[in-house]
Amino acid sequence: MPDNSWYLVVPSAAMWLFILAIVGISCVALAVAISRGNRARSAKLARSEAEPIRGPLPEFEKNGQSATAALVQWSPETLRHILAKELPDAQVIVVSNREPYIHNRSGDEIQLVVPASGLVSALEPITRACAGTWIAYGGGSADPLVVDENDRVEVPPENPSYTLRRVWLSEEELQGYYLGFANEGLWPLCHIAFTRPIFRASDWEAYEAVNRKFADTVVAEARNERPIVLVQDYHFALLPRMIRERLPEAIIITFWHIPWPNSEVFSICPWREKILEGLLGSSIVGFHTQFHCNNFIDSVDRFLESRIEREDSAISYGGQISLVHAYPISIEWEPPRLSKLPAVAECRRLIRDKFGFAEHVRLCVGVERLDYTKGILDRLNALDELLTLHPEWVGKVAFLQVAAPSRGTLPAYQQLYEECLRHAEDINQRHGREGYAPVVLVTEHHSQTQVYEIYRAADVCMVTSLHDGMNLVAKEFVAAREDEQGVLLLSMFAGASKELLEALIVNPYDAAMMGDALLQALTMSPEEQSQRMRRMREVVRENNVYRWAGSMLFDAARLRKRDAVDRAVNGAPGSPGPGSRGPGSSGPGSTGNVISLLDRKRVAAL
């Protein structure tokens, strides 16, 4: 029988040759890939050595205006120049719940009070610069005694430069509109602080009525049909639409000073559509951060039949365009009160003597309203964490919390006050000793001058908001420290953390992290403090309150010029009449040679 084994060897050898060829090709490919990867890594390393590492941009450099805004020295003169050049003969009207000056009875005398309010601090210099009219609720006990027959008073008293028009509210209106719907409803709805919002039909009715009363006042104060109206905050969500109905040619800029929640949270509100419709009566709706702008746009998209151009942050609703832009608010630079204050060393001595702190004790401070969104309990937890894990700091560090009473008739605020007292007493009992109390809690109002003295005396300023639109305390502390010393410990949930990137950014819900950050702040070298503070001061100086206002006024000027063009075109033969005219209009009433805002490539090109 013939031997056939040779026929089996040949195929087997061919198979092995094929396998070896595949392996060889794979090895060559792998070697080439490794070589290319090494060259790519070398090139990347070379680039990284050649280029500095870039951190995140501050929020105010993201708003699309930094290219021109950075070249401008923002000041009151800048605002006046903008008004004279871009908005000649424009009347500026500011509307807010809180007034910039309060007159109270003090025995037989009338005492003038300037409230320590971030909103007032930001808007008062703007209204002065624009010689405008400020409309606000007159809540002072002597407010009715100092106004004229039209409920107006010229302010500030030492150098009158604008008009304060006061609106009077009954106790029932104040209870329903302010304490009820605004602060038991909208305030907790917009803040992630895990306090349930309360909505009552009676509060909503009062809110509508008060917004209508303020709308009547705006119309009465307007000298013509085209004023620039700056509506402030969550107290007046319905006001823009009410003004628009009466003054259709007005430029209405509504600034929402608190966060805007995501659309699912906002859906809790029973009157969500009416609030959105009211705000979309604005020419511009402003927020501190782009994130809150996005939340607002998402809410409109979910609950209203509208046309949205997300790239340009523009909403068309009811035949009208509303721009939704981020304008991070700031403070006056330099704060005028600083020139009247003693040197930093003297402020330290004054504050230590006043509150009984020894010279060797490192001083941490917190300054704000007594509010559950500010994270006061959480910073007390951080101090407790530090003293528990690092007992060597007992007797060497103290915390001064200045918390002005706020909305004290509301149960949530009463509960917070009691919890703060209990927590402070507990820490003092466990860590305090003769002549030393780790926590000093002061629940009384302080003037802005007194607040700045505290800033200048502090080694650490703790701004640990659970949720905040901006929080100007952080910027005030930075502005107060021309000595370039002191450490800012800042919550990641405050809008200021998007700008003051050199602060120690913390999560207020993490007590261990906060304790570690507090230890880092207390042990930071003077050189590092100076480097961080110098950069933060540059940011606050560049993005001051005049830039905030100027950015909005520039946008208002663009809108006014666009409206002038639209009126000219629509007034031509064959164009639609005033009743059918409007940005973003479409259909049979539209003119063929006018392109609506949402059809243009970029809003910024206007």
Side-chain angles (χ1 to χ4, degrees), residues 53-64 66 289 328 495-502 535 539 542:
I53 297 175
R54 300 184 183 275
L57 286 174
E59 187 73 27
F60 71 94
E61 293 182 4
K62 303 176 187 176
N63 62 8
S66 59
T289 69
S497 68
K498 307 300 186 295
E499 297 182 52
L500 304 178
L501 305 177
E502 287 71 29
R535 174 54 187 153
V539 168
E542 292 170 7

Side-chain angles (χ1 to χ4, degrees), residues 67-362:
T68 55
L71 303 177
V72 178
Q73 295 294 322
W74 292 93
S75 66
E77 290 70 30
T78 309
L79 289 185
R80 283 190 282 267
H81 176 75
I82 292 172
L83 287 170
K85 181 179 179 181
E86 303 290 340
L87 296 163
D89 303 320
Q91 179 192 11
V92 176
I93 300 175
V94 175
V95 186
S96 72
N97 177 75
R98 180 168 293 186
E99 56 184 338
Y101 294 93
I102 303 171
H103 291 88
N104 285 327
R105 290 179 180 271
S106 180
D108 295 332
E109 299 180 352
I110 295 177
Q111 182 182 24
L112 180 68
V113 178
V114 180
S117 160
L119 184 147
V120 170
S121 299
L123 286 170
E124 210 270 339
I126 295 166
T127 318
R128 273 193 276 113
C130 299
T133 299
W134 188 318
I135 300 173
Y137 159 59
S141 57
D143 277 356
L145 303 178
V146 299
V147 297
D148 62 16
E149 65 276 9
N150 297 311
D151 298 324
R152 302 181 185 125
V153 58
E154 298 299 312
V155 291
E158 67 278 4
N159 182 26
S161 52
Y162 68 92
T163 301
L164 173 58
R165 167 67 190 274
R166 285 171 169 152
V167 177
W168 315 113
L169 301 178
S170 68
E171 188 62 34
E172 292 75 17
E173 287 175 320
L174 191 64
Q175 182 69 37
Y177 138 80
Y178 178 75
L179 293 174
F181 189 77
N183 288 307
E184 283 191 295
L186 289 179
W187 179 266
L189 178 74
C190 291
H191 289 86
I192 304 173
F194 307 104
T195 297
R196 178 171 175 162
I198 299 173
F199 295 109
R200 308 179 187 91
S202 58
D203 291 343
W204 171 254
E205 292 170 2
Y207 187 82
E208 282 188 303
V210 171
N211 273 245
R212 181 69 65 187
K213 180 178 287 190
F214 271 84
D216 293 341
T217 306
V218 170
V219 173
E221 290 296 320
R223 295 194 293 265
N224 55 52
E225 296 181 351
R226 306 179 67 204
I228 296 174
V229 185
L230 304 178
V231 178
Q232 305 301 311
D233 227 352
Y234 62 102
H235 309 94
F236 299 113
L238 306 180
L239 185 59
R241 178 66 59 189
M242 293 175 174
I243 297 173
R244 178 70 60 205
E245 292 168 353
R246 307 272 294 278
L247 298 172
E249 296 183 18
I251 297 295
I252 304 170
I253 304 174
T254 300
F255 194 82
W256 194 267
H257 288 262
I258 63 177
W260 188 274
N262 64 51
S263 61
E264 186 170 10
V265 171
F266 183 68
S267 69
I268 295 171
C269 181
W271 301 280
R272 60 203 180 199
E273 289 87 0
K274 290 187 177 181
I275 288 174
L276 294 173
E277 288 172 352
L279 289 170
L280 290 179
S282 309
S283 313
I284 302 172
V285 183
F287 297 91
H288 291 299
T289 69
Q290 187 60 46
F291 183 73
H292 296 148
C293 292
N294 297 343
N295 280 349
F296 176 77
I297 293 172
D298 289 342
S299 298
V300 173
D301 192 20
R302 181 171 177 178
F303 299 113
L304 295 182
E305 194 69 33
S306 58
R307 184 181 177 188
I308 296 174
E309 184 61 52
R310 291 182 182 271
E311 183 183 359
D312 298 325
S313 292
I315 299 172
S316 176
Y317 180 76
Q320 179 200 329
I321 298 294
S322 296
L323 305 183
V324 183
H325 284 181
Y327 305 97
I329 200 171
S330 195
I331 62 172
E332 192 173 7
W333 184 272
E334 291 179 339
R337 296 171 184 82
L338 285 184
S339 61
K340 303 176 183 178
L341 288 174
V344 169
E346 180 62 15
C347 287
R348 291 176 65 86
R349 187 191 66 77
L350 291 171
I351 296 301
R352 289 173 182 274
D353 289 348
K354 179 177 180 179
F355 295 103
F357 298 121
E359 180 61 32
H360 69 278
V361 171
R362 306 297 297 279

Side-chain angles (χ1 to χ4, degrees), residues 370 376-377 380 399 401 403 413-430 439-444:
L370 188 63
I376 298 174
L377 291 171
L380 292 176
F399 175 58
Q401 176 63 59
Y413 291 83
Q414 295 172 353
Q415 180 181 348
L416 173 67
Y417 174 68
E418 293 168 359
E419 288 183 7
C420 287
L421 285 179
R422 285 197 302 268
H423 205 359
E425 291 173 0
D426 177 61
I427 293 175
N428 287 338
Q429 287 177 1
R430 288 188 291 108
V439 180
V440 175
L441 180 62
V442 182
T443 55
E444 60 186 41

